[in-house]
Amino acid sequence: MPQHLVTCSCGRQLPVELSQAGQQLQCACGATVSVPTFRQLRELPVAPAENAQAATPRTWSARQGAIAANLIIAALLVIAAGASRYTEPLLPQFNPAARNQLVSGEIEKFTPAEAWKIWTENYRSLSRAGFVVMEHPATQAIQEAIDQHRRIEFTLVGAAAFCALIAAVLWLTGGRK
């Protein structure tokens, strides 16, 4: 907040703030100096800054920069993990009833000889080995992609936690030399 200079009868200039408008001040010479009203105070000269350091903006220390950098990196890693989770593929839903209806419709179109040929070529081995759970053909590949996404997400969140831990340690040990 700017200070203005009020001149005492001894010639000394006293810095005053706007909040002191209309008050009385004691000069070092012992004289009482009346601070003008707010409107009159604005017309007085502005006091120079007491030291150059007060006028310059504050700069960050290396520790504060490291804390900020670690927190920014942690936030970016968490955002990347969230993006990975969001873009994760979904497993296809297999509807056995719809599949059975489709197969039944196709079987009805076959002649008995065609049906027997398909049975002997494709399904006879199943009667010996047993039937497996039917699933979408791409399920295995999609599950591997999901697992890869989860590994990436775990790594990103772990790295973010590590960066946040470094920032916390730097912050907590900042006052100690």
Side-chain angles (χ1 to χ4, degrees), residues 41-161:
L41 194 62
R42 292 186 305 176
E43 296 172 5
L44 294 176
V46 177
E50 287 185 25
N51 57 22
Q53 190 176 21
T56 60
R58 299 179 92 191
T59 59
W60 281 18
S61 67
R63 182 183 65 82
Q64 290 169 321
I67 291 170
N70 277 293
L71 291 176
I72 290 169
I73 291 169
L76 291 173
L77 290 169
V78 168
I79 289 169
S84 178
R85 175 59 64 109
Y86 182 73
T87 60
E88 201 172 82
L90 298 174
L91 284 174
Q93 298 297 320
F94 183 74
N95 186 348
R99 177 73 177 157
N100 285 340
Q101 185 178 9
L102 178 69
V103 170
S104 295
E106 290 296 317
I107 289 175
E108 289 177 6
K109 296 178 186 176
F110 296 145
T111 64
E114 290 173 329
W116 177 252
K117 182 179 178 187
I118 290 173
W119 169 257
T120 57
E121 290 175 358
N122 297 318
Y123 295 107
R124 184 176 280 175
S125 62
L126 291 176
S127 66
R128 290 185 216 118
F131 289 96
V132 295
V133 176
M134 294 183 75
E135 59 183 24
H136 191 279
T139 298
Q140 183 64 29
I142 293 172
Q143 185 61 51
E144 289 173 8
I146 290 171
D147 293 342
Q148 179 66 24
H149 273 261
R150 298 278 165 91
R151 285 190 293 274
I152 291 170
E153 292 160 16
F154 180 76
T155 303
L156 291 172
V157 169

